[in-house]
Amino acid sequence: MSNVSTKSYVVGVDIGGTNCRAAVIDHAAGKIVARSLNIPSRAMDGEQYTAQQVVEAVRQALDNANLTLDSIAGVGVAVPGHVIPQEGKILWAPNFYGQWRGVYLAKPISEALKVPVYLGNDANLAALGEYTYGVGKGTNHLVMITLGTGIGGGIIIDGKLLTGSNGGAGELGHIIIAANHHARGGNTAYGTLEGLAQRDAITERAARKVAEGRQTTLLTPNYDRILLTPQIICDAALAGDQLSIETYEETGYCIGLGLASIIAIFNPEMIVIGGGIAQAGPILFDPIRRATQANAIGTLFSTVKIVAADLGDNAGIMGAAALAIIESAKVD
Amino acid sequence: MSNVSTKSYVVGVDIGGTNCRAAVIDHAAGKIVARSLNIPSRAMDGEQYTAQQVVEAVRQALDNANLTLDSIAGVGVAVPGHVIPQEGKILWAPNFYGQWRGVYLAKPISEALKVPVYLGNDANLAALGEYTYGVGKGTNHLVMITLGTGIGGGIIIDGKLLTGSNGGAGELGHIIIAANHHARGGNTAYGTLEGLAQRDAITERAARKVAEGRQTTLLTPNYDRILLTPQIICDAALAGDQLSIETYEETGYCIGLGLASIIAIFNPEMIVIGGGIAQAGPILFDPIRRATQANAIGTLFSTVKIVAADLGDNAGIMGAAALAIIESAKVD
C-alpha cells in the first residue's frame, strides 16, 4: 500500500465512565472497518490504568483489522469532560470516578503506542463525526446536540470544530432557557436545557403527570416511577397515550427554545439531534420543530435543517477518528 | 507615500435609521483621523438615495483627511440588520423605513466610488472593531453584546468574525433566557435577553416599581414614566436610590444569564459589553458579574474577562473599517 492510502486508516476511541472501546476507521471510505471489545475503562484505578486500557483497545481494534500501528494516521480519543486538546489534558471529567481533574491522558497512550494521540470532548467529537462521516457531510455550519443522561453539544463553523479559548466550548446543555424553573441538570444552573430536557427531566415530567392521577397506560399494575424510562414513555406515546405524548411535546418545546437561541447565535445550515433520546422520532422532532420555528428569527429558521443524527453510538468514536486525521495532517 | 502605508487608510461607515456617517481610519495607527458630518440616511426615500448619502459621507470624510479614494483599501459599511456579506446584500433591515428586504446596497456605492465596498451587521462589526482596535486587541476568542434600544452581538472565533451560513449570526439579543416571561423585544420571542434587558425593559422595570408605590427619588413632582430613561435611573441609583439600584441589579441578573449561556457555548477569553446602557458602570457590571458566575460553568467562568467596551459610539464604524481591511486583503 502507498503511504497515502495507508494513512487513510485511523483509530477512534470512546472512553466512558465504565467502558472504553476503539474502532479502526477507513477515513476515505468513511466507515468503521474493525472494532475492539468493550473493555473496562478503569477510571477508578487511576489514569495510568485507563491509559493501558485504551492502548489495549487500540491494539485489539487494529488486530481485528489486520493492521499495524504503522498504518494509522493517529489515535483520537473522545472523553466525557472538559478537554484541553492542544495539551492532551483532561481538565475536568465529572463522570470519571473521583471526578478527574488535570489529567494528561494523551501522553502515556502516545508513548505506549508511538503514534500521535489527540483528545477531544465526546459531544464535540460527535458533532465532528456527523459532519465528517454522517448526516452533516457537505455542510459548513453545523450544530449538534446530544440528548441523553446529560446534554452535550458540538459546533462546526466553516468546517472547523469550535473548541473555544480553552477547549470548553459547545456545552449546549448549559444554555439557560427558563431561569425561573427549579430544574437543574447534574452540574448545570437552574433552568438549563439539560435540566429541562435530559433523560431524568423526561421521566420526571411523565411521573409528575401520573402522580396527578391522570388517565394513562403508564400506570400499569407494576408501575414504579423509578423504573420509568424515555423508551417506555415513547412507546406509550406512539400507542396513543395522551400523557406520554404531552411529555414529549413539552420536552420538544424546551429543546426548541434552546435551538431558537442556537439559531440566533450561529445561523447554522443544519442542527443535528443525536443521543438515545432522539431515537423517539417524530413524536419528539415535530414539537421540536414547531417550538423552534415559533421562537427563532424567521429569516434564520427558514434556512436551517433540523435533522436526526446518522451515526448513532458511533458518532463520538468516528469524530475522534476525524480529529486524528485533521490534527495529524497539520503536523505533516 | 508607498502603496503599503497608503493602504493603511480605510473608510468605515455607520448607517442608522436616521443618519449615516463616515470616518477615515488609519489602520496601522488604529485610530480615526477624520470624519464626515452626520448626514440623513434617507432610508425612507429608497436605497439609491441612501447609497448616495453614503457616497457623500465617504467623500466628506476623505476631504477632511486630505486623502483621495486612491489612498484607501476600501469602504466598510455597518448596517442595522441582517446582511449577507458575500453578496453585499441587506436581507432585512427592520429599523429602516419600510423594513428593507433584499437590497443590494454595496454595488451602487462601489460603482460610484470605484473602490471595494463591504457590508456587515452593525453589532457584528462593533465586535470586530473592539477586537481589532479596542479592548479586545490581542485576544482570539471574544464575544460582544451591545446594549441599547435593542440588543445586538458579535462573535470573534480564532480571530475571525462569525457570520454564520447566511450572514445572520451573532443575534445575541434573541437568546431565550426566561421562556415563561411575558417580555418581548421588538422582534424577539418571549423571554429573550433583548426583551428583558434592552432600554425599554430597564425603564419598564423601574416604572413598575414606582407604580407599586415604593419610596424612590424617581417620583419627582414632574414624574412621568414615559420620560424615564436608563440614564435617569442610573443617576438615581448612583445617588443611593434603592429602587433604581434594584432595577440595575435585576437587569444585570438577566444579562448574566445570557452571558452564562454564551460562556458555555463559546468558552471565550473575553466578553465585551458595549452600547449606551453599559455606560452605567459598576452599578450594572457588578450584578452582571455575580449572576454570570452564579450560573456559568465554573472552569469556563474562571478564565473569561467581562469588560466594558472601549470605543464607544465608534465601535461600529471602526469595525466596518476593519472589515474592509480584512476583505480587501483577501482580494489582493
Side-chain angles (χ1 to χ4, degrees), chain B residues 222-241:
Chain B
N222 299 318
Y223 173 75
D224 178 344
R225 66 181 167 77
I226 305 297
L227 299 179
L228 265 186
T229 63
Q231 186 63 58
I232 291 170
I233 302 164
C234 179
D235 290 344
L238 290 172
D241 182 56

Side-chain angles (χ1 to χ4, degrees), chain A residues 2-18:
Chain A
S2 79
N3 263 334
V4 174
S5 69
T6 306
K7 295 295 188 185
S8 174
Y9 292 110
V10 59
V11 176
V13 178
D14 198 355
I15 314 184
T18 311

Side-chain angles (χ1 to χ4, degrees), chain A residues 33-56:
Chain A
V33 296
R35 295 173 184 277
S36 74
L37 297 173
N38 280 345
I39 64 178
S41 47
R42 297 189 65 178
M44 77 283 277
D45 295 327
E47 65 252 36
Q48 67 275 38
Y49 293 96
T50 300
Q52 282 174 13
Q53 297 297 85
V54 170
V55 167
E56 170 61 20

Side-chain angles (χ1 to χ4, degrees), chain A residues 193-224:
Chain A
L193 181 56
E194 180 164 307
L196 286 153
Q198 66 176 334
R199 184 193 182 289
D200 288 355
I202 298 170
T203 54
E204 278 299 305
R205 191 167 280 133
R208 165 69 57 188
K209 293 180 201 299
V210 176
E212 287 166 357
R214 292 184 49 187
Q215 198 168 22
T216 172
T217 59
L218 294 177
L219 193 63
T220 60
N222 298 318
Y223 173 75
D224 179 345

